[in-house]
Amino acid sequence: MEKSKVLIIGGTGYLGKRLVKASLAEGHETYILHRTEIGVDIDKVQMLLSFKEQGAHLVSGSFTDHQSLVKAIKLVDVVICAISGVHIRSHQILLQLKLIDAIKDAGNVKRFLPSEFGTDPARMENALEPGRVTFDDKMIVRKAIEDAQIPFTYISANCFAGYFLGGLCQPGKILPSRDSVVLLGDGNKKAIYVEEDDIAMYTIKTIDDPRTLNKTVYLRPPKNILSQREVVEIWEKLIGKELQKSSIPKEQFLASLKGQEYAQQVGLIHYYHVCYEGCLANFEIGNGAVEASELYPEIKYTTVEEYMKRYL
């Protein structure tokens, strides 16, 4: 079967650059939207030129220029959006409503993968303020996609390994201590950690797969469904030393949000739902959803232990 042509929006971002590499590696004709908004950000321009040398096509476009989006979309079969939804970077989720309008006008898209890649927003209707804004905005985008009858795949990638494992699941830390760790609650709630390159590869695998059409794809690598305590134990085993442990009860954690900047509060609420409630792993995948490691057993995903070795 001929592989789909792919347009990646946000192709110079944290996940987007990995999606470009995975798309090229899988043999897809790959287009990257070169947004005029990046201006003189030399790092992003150099990255785009590097992708061009590797075979990607650069196509100019902007969320402020509807026709430029339509023109870019008409070149491809599949659109993947990876613009940031993380408040500590930049929260741009609702910009995708303009993209959806362009996809409707172009009329040729076989599948759209919006910027999701985290917790499944459909399961977060009871999320706390202000963190719920992320999930609410993603659900607004989903409704627009489905109202327009655009074929879709939603990727629920759970915890990015770089953000969670590096800091032993402690907010605000991205390098593991060799001395101490603060457990969130009892540290026993399960979460799911996925290496970012693996997220990209699983995502690209879905785009021509009829089994993932109009479905949510959960990334649940079996060896990576672990509690914070289990992550810490893996690190202790690697360094040959037991860390000094303390814990923060949920009431104290929530009280600590007061007075913090809005973006920090949003992120901390996400940690709360993951680490105190276990929102990622406390349910069975039901109808209308599939699991990536079962669909693509040929992908040798990075285990938590393998990932943690890079910090030694």
Side-chain angles (χ1 to χ4, degrees):
M1 186 178 70
E2 187 177 347
K3 295 198 173 190
S4 288
K5 298 176 182 178
V6 182
L7 173 65
I8 297 173
I9 296 161
T12 58
Y14 183 67
L15 183 62
K17 62 189 177 187
R18 293 171 166 88
L19 289 165
V20 172
K21 290 176 184 175
S23 180
L24 290 169
E26 285 294 291
H28 292 277
E29 191 170 335
T30 304
Y31 293 76
I32 310 169
L33 191 73
H34 171 208
R35 291 163 62 194
T36 52
E37 291 89 341
I38 70 171
V40 293
D41 188 329
I42 190 66
D43 289 332
K44 290 185 176 181
V45 171
Q46 293 289 341
M47 191 185 303
L48 288 169
L49 292 174
S50 173
F51 286 143
K52 186 179 179 185
E53 288 177 354
Q54 295 169 50
H57 306 280
L58 306 185
V59 53
S60 294
S62 169
F63 282 107
T64 61
D65 182 347
H66 177 75
Q67 285 306 318
S68 73
L69 291 178
V70 173
K71 185 177 177 182
I73 290 163
K74 284 187 173 180
L75 297 170
V76 301
D77 309 300
V78 172
V79 176
I80 304 175
C81 189
I83 60 175
S84 176
V86 181
H87 278 75
I88 57 171
R89 297 169 77 91
S90 60
H91 183 74
Q92 302 178 325
I93 293 299
L94 292 182
L95 272 180
Q96 293 177 105
L97 297 176
K98 295 184 178 182
L99 185 58
I100 291 164
D101 287 340
I103 290 172
K104 284 193 288 188
D105 283 359
N108 61 295
V109 169
K110 295 178 182 175
R111 200 174 308 200
F112 176 41
L113 282 70
S115 184
E116 295 241 349
F117 303 111
T119 306
D120 180 3
R123 302 195 63 85
M124 299 304 293
E125 63 271 15
N126 295 318
L128 299 179
E129 297 282 3
R132 66 171 300 125
V133 65
T134 306
F135 313 120
D136 291 344
D137 285 358
K138 288 181 177 181
M139 290 306 293
I140 290 169
V141 171
R142 284 191 180 193
K143 184 177 188 303
I145 292 167
E146 292 168 31
D147 285 351
Q149 298 185 314
I150 296 167
F152 64 84
T153 298
Y154 303 140
I155 304 292
S156 177
N158 299 300
C159 297
F160 283 20
Y163 278 96
F164 277 80
L165 294 180
L168 301 177
C169 311
Q170 299 169 102
K173 298 183 184 295
I174 55 173
L175 289 171
S177 170
R178 290 173 177 259
D179 300 308
S180 62
V181 63
V182 177
L183 298 174
L184 303 185
D186 60 14
N188 289 325
K189 295 292 186 185
K190 300 281 188 181
I192 305 164
Y193 313 95
V194 192
E195 203 270 348
E196 289 84 346
D197 290 331
D198 293 342
I199 293 172
M201 185 55 72
Y202 281 125
T203 299
I204 296 301
K205 284 283 189 182
T206 70
I207 63 178
D208 282 332
D209 189 342
R211 298 173 296 177
T212 62
L213 182 62
N214 295 332
K215 289 184 178 176
T216 297
V217 179
Y218 292 99
L219 276 54
R220 287 185 163 188
K223 292 182 181 178
N224 291 4
I225 304 174
L226 301 168
S227 68
Q228 184 187 13
R229 278 190 184 272
E230 289 170 324
V231 170
V232 170
E233 285 168 6
I234 288 170
W235 179 239
E236 289 174 330
K237 176 184 166 188
L238 288 172
I239 64 173
K241 178 185 176 184
E242 188 171 339
L243 302 185
Q244 182 180 342
K245 299 175 186 69
S246 58
S247 66
I248 177 168
K250 69 177 182 180
E251 295 82 8
Q252 184 181 342
F253 182 88
L254 290 172
S256 73
L257 271 63
K258 291 178 182 175
Q260 298 210 39
E261 292 182 8
Y262 178 79
Q264 297 292 333
Q265 290 187 40
V266 170
L268 288 168
I269 288 295
H270 295 175
Y271 267 90
Y272 172 80
H273 289 299
V274 170
C275 297
Y276 286 95
E277 295 187 342
C279 68
L280 301 180
N282 64 358
F283 63 94
E284 297 295 324
I285 295 173
N287 295 331
V290 288
E291 198 285 311
S293 66
E294 291 180 2
L295 292 180
Y296 313 111
E298 69 276 12
I299 294 179
K300 186 183 180 301
Y301 65 84
T302 304
T303 66
V304 169
E305 182 167 359
E306 289 165 346
Y307 189 89
M308 296 300 292
K309 285 179 180 177
R310 69 188 61 190
Y311 298 110
L312 291 174

